[in-house]
Each structure stands twice: as structure tokens, then as C-alpha cells.
Amino acid sequence: MMARDVHGMYAMVDCNNFYVSCERVFDPALEGRPVVVLSNNDGCVVARSPEAKALGIVNGEPVFRRKSFFVRHGVRMFSSNYALYGDMSARVMQVLSRFSPDVERYSIDEAFLCFPALARDRLLETAGRIRLAVRQWTGIPVCVGMARTKTLAKLANHTAKRMPGGGNCLLDDAAEIEGCLARTPAGEIWGIGRRHARFLHEHGIETALDLARRPREWVRRHLALPGLHTVMELNQEPCIPFERNPPPVRSLMCSRSFGTEVADLGSLEEALSTRVQQAAAKLRAKGMAAGAVQVFVETSRFRSEAYAGDSGCAVLPAPTSFTHDLNAAALQVLRGIYRPGFAYRKTGVLLLDLISEGCRQLHLFDAPVVREGPRKALMAAMDRVNAVHGRGTLVLASSGFGAKPWHMRQTRRSPRYTTRWAELPVVR
């Protein structure tokens, strides 16, 4: 059933400069100053404040090339604080759920909401109340874009972001929509990737309006069904359904780059075991089990030496979420793909063939009555302890003890204000 049969209007709510905004919530002195948030191991810029953008700082550029520039212009740098950002995102989504029972979480800082077909002034009033409530209850500034389709709601949100200080935008008038499409490059439309953007440019399609006016037979032939849906949505015909319940995931990955290069197998095993335990905890939180384990290792792509990247997979006798079984399979794969003499920069685990824990088929010779009860109790206790006292409180011995030089560099990470008792903000 198409969204039009159920709802009259979509709202796209997007947090402004989300990572930077999270840092500013707990450090108001950052307001008005250029701020950037860095990627894993403090390598590249992944988020910028408006002041940093005004200085010409580009997303994705390596930090080491701009260190003197950052110092000269007083740019504050922060390591990625995923615990803080994830928790703040959950708080924003909780506020949004007060305005509509239908919330589709699109990313860590974006969500679609559905509303009935209300009068224009009431919709704009609702958008204003959303912005005010999110800012008041979480400290995060947001912009709201509204339209009859998800693609136009995305476009309305981009328009709102260009307003001074951010704001709301409702696209429901045909003339207004046409003007907005005429000002928008075709490559900036949601759902149009780089390859399609180049193709459209080669065929003289420069703006979203040019694309919206193309014959649908031509669009279907050259851009396939997703492209046709995009064009229909640009013409206010809802085609992209609202996902109240996201489809079940079929895989789960956990990987991180190392803080320093790792050459010995023992350190690689410790790092991989740490990733497996994190992935297994996420798997159990989703109520799922994995039928196969894939492991990969990589050297740096930016060194003069030849790049090496290897991977291997192990199929499990029966789907499981038991950390010990997943870890044993992963380590066995690692020992098979490890090559002495290479300095590795990254390792990770990919859990495949995921199914619901209640639907998994056990091995013919397994003894579920004897083994499953104690195993589940052990994992439940482990997850509970780590949830209360912090991740890594209870770990497998295979992940090592003491300081680990391969740990990700986060020399500029702010406190995890909302998820660690020892790092709560102090008011003086």
C-alpha cells in the first residue's frame, strides 16, 4: 500500500551538524567557534561547524595537512565520541515520537515522520514545535522539511537548512515546488548517485526540474525502477513506502582501524576477539543468531608498500549468538589468512546469515536442553554487567589484558557525559 493511502504529509527532521552539536550541548563555550570532529584514529574531518565550513575546511580532508591552519584559526578538534552521539540520537528520536506515532529512523541524525493532511498553518506550527522541543529537551538544533513525498521532504529539509539559522520548509504548492526543483542540481536529489548524476549531465539534465519533466518511459529505461520512483516522487506521487519496522538485517559488521600498525599474530587475535565480542553483544541485543563468520585484515592503502587485504569465512554447524563459538570460528579463520611480514592497519568481523533467535534450527546432534540454558544465562549475565559497568568490564581472555597499543587513537575525545557515571558533567 502506498503512503498516500495512509498519510497526507511527510516530515524529514535532520539534526544540524549533529556531531558538533553534541559537543556544544555540554560545552557552550564552543558556540560561535570553528569546531571539527575527526574520524577513527583522528585521521580525517568528518563533521564541521558552520564556522569551520566558512574557513574552507572540507569534509574528509586529512588532519595532518591542516594542523598549522587549525592552530592559526583557533579550530577546536574532537575525536569521534560514538557513545555520546548514539545516546543523544536516541534522545532526539524519543522526542520526535511525541509528535507522531510513525517515526522512521533514517540515520543517526535523521528521521521521517508522518502526519495527516492538515492545513498549511497547522503543519508549519507543528514543525516549529518540533524544533523548539528538540532544542529545549536535548540541546540539539534541527531543521524540518515537509512535503507529500519522502523525496520532496528531503528537498524541503535541504531548503530549510539554507535559511539563516535554519528553519522549516513546507513544499505543498505546485509553483513553489517547481521553483525549488529548478534551483536544485539533479545530482543533489535523494536517490541520485554519482554515476547517475554524470549520466544525467551527459544528457543535458542539469536540474531536478529537468529530471521531473523527462518522459517516464525514458527514465525507466535509463535509471531503472528506483529512478522512476524518484521522478514520480518529485511530481508529488508517493512511491517510497514508510518503514515503520525496518526490515531485519542480514549481516552485522564490527571493525576498527588500529591506533598503530600490527604485525604479530597475537595482537591481531586480541584485536579481532575484541571486535567479535562487540558484534556478538549487538547480535544478542537484536535477538538474532549468526550462521557464518567472515573475517578480514587490511594493511594501509596509503603506504608505499604493496597493499594486502585478505578475508575468509567459516560456516557454523548451527546458527548461534554464543560469543565463545563465534570467537573460536573467527580466530580459526584469522590464522588461515594471516601473512607474516605485513603490518596490518585494520581487522574486522562480519556476521552473516542472520536469523531470529527463536527460528534457528539446531544441529542434529546438539543437546539444547543441556547446553542452551546455561549458555543463555552466561551471555545474559555478561551483557548485563557490561551494560551497567561499561563495555569491556567482562571480556574473554583472548582479547588480552592491560594496555593495548593497537587500540584506536582518541586523544581528543570529550567525556561520555550521558553513558558513564565517572564522566558525568560537573557544575561548579
Side-chain angles (χ1 to χ4, degrees), residues 14-17 142-143 156-167:
D14 187 7
C15 301
N16 300 343
N17 311 301
V142 300
C143 286
N157 186 276
H158 286 308
T159 302
K161 281 183 176 293
R162 298 189 185 101
M163 297 177 179

Side-chain angles (χ1 to χ4, degrees), residues 85-369:
Y85 306 153
D87 186 68
M88 293 300 291
S89 172
R91 294 172 186 236
V92 170
M93 301 301 164
Q94 188 175 26
V95 175
L96 296 182
S97 67
R98 293 172 175 260
F99 291 89
S100 173
D102 296 319
V103 178
E104 176 189 333
R105 182 168 180 168
Y106 180 66
S107 68
I108 191 171
D109 62 345
E110 295 175 291
F112 286 105
L113 281 70
C114 282
F115 294 98
L118 303 173
R120 180 181 179 89
D121 57 344
R122 287 195 60 188
L123 288 170
L124 289 173
E125 178 192 359
T126 300
R129 290 195 293 113
I130 289 174
R131 292 182 62 221
L132 180 63
V134 175
R135 186 63 185 263
Q136 183 176 0
W137 297 347
T138 69
I140 303 294
V142 300
C143 286
V144 182
M146 289 183 164
R148 292 189 179 92
T149 69
K150 293 172 79 172
T151 303
L152 284 176
K154 268 283 218 179
L155 181 58
N157 186 276
H158 286 308
T159 302
K161 281 183 176 293
R162 298 189 185 101
M163 297 177 179
N168 313 318
C169 177
L170 171 60
L171 291 179
D172 64 344
D173 177 75
E176 188 177 2
I177 292 173
E178 184 172 309
C180 190
L181 294 178
R183 294 189 298 270
T184 304
E188 293 184 6
I189 292 297
W190 184 47
I192 301 297
R194 291 183 181 178
R195 182 172 62 86
H196 282 156
R198 288 195 299 269
F199 173 83
L200 294 175
H201 174 72
E202 292 168 359
H203 286 75
I205 301 173
E206 302 294 342
T207 69
L209 184 60
D210 295 336
L211 179 60
R213 288 176 172 174
R214 273 283 170 164
R216 296 189 178 181
E217 296 79 8
W218 185 92
V219 174
R220 175 66 185 267
R221 184 167 64 253
H222 294 286
L223 303 183
L225 188 60
L228 177 60
H229 286 169
T230 296
V231 169
M232 293 174 68
E233 292 237 329
L234 291 177
N235 287 284
Q236 301 193 72
E237 300 177 43
C239 294
I240 302 175
F242 188 85
E243 296 182 355
R244 293 174 181 81
N245 299 310
V249 295
R250 297 295 296 165
S251 63
L252 192 156
M253 176 182 283
C254 190
S255 67
R256 284 286 187 277
S257 299
F258 301 138
T260 184
E261 292 178 332
V262 174
D264 64 289
L265 179 60
S267 295
L268 271 178
E269 290 181 341
E270 288 184 358
L272 177 61
S273 182
T274 300
R275 305 293 174 251
V276 171
Q277 292 172 75
Q278 294 169 359
K282 294 179 181 179
L283 189 68
R284 290 190 292 272
K286 295 178 180 293
M288 306 191 80
V293 176
Q294 182 174 338
V295 173
F296 66 88
V297 289
E298 296 179 356
T299 61
S300 175
R301 297 176 182 269
F302 305 103
R303 293 179 64 89
S304 57
E305 294 85 353
Y307 167 78
D310 298 288
S311 66
C313 187
V315 177
L316 302 169
T320 183
S321 62
F322 189 53
T323 300
H324 299 68
D325 291 345
L326 298 172
N327 188 60
L331 293 180
Q332 184 178 5
V333 173
L334 176 64
R335 291 161 190 153
I337 63 175
Y338 168 73
R339 289 195 274 172
F342 284 91
Y344 291 101
R345 194 70 187 187
K346 185 177 184 179
T347 188
V349 61
L350 180 63
L351 304 182
L352 301 168
D353 298 338
L354 305 190
I355 63 171
S356 173
E357 181 75 35
C359 299
R360 67 192 184 96
Q361 183 173 347
L362 297 176
H363 192 272
L364 177 62
F365 300 104
D366 206 358
V369 177

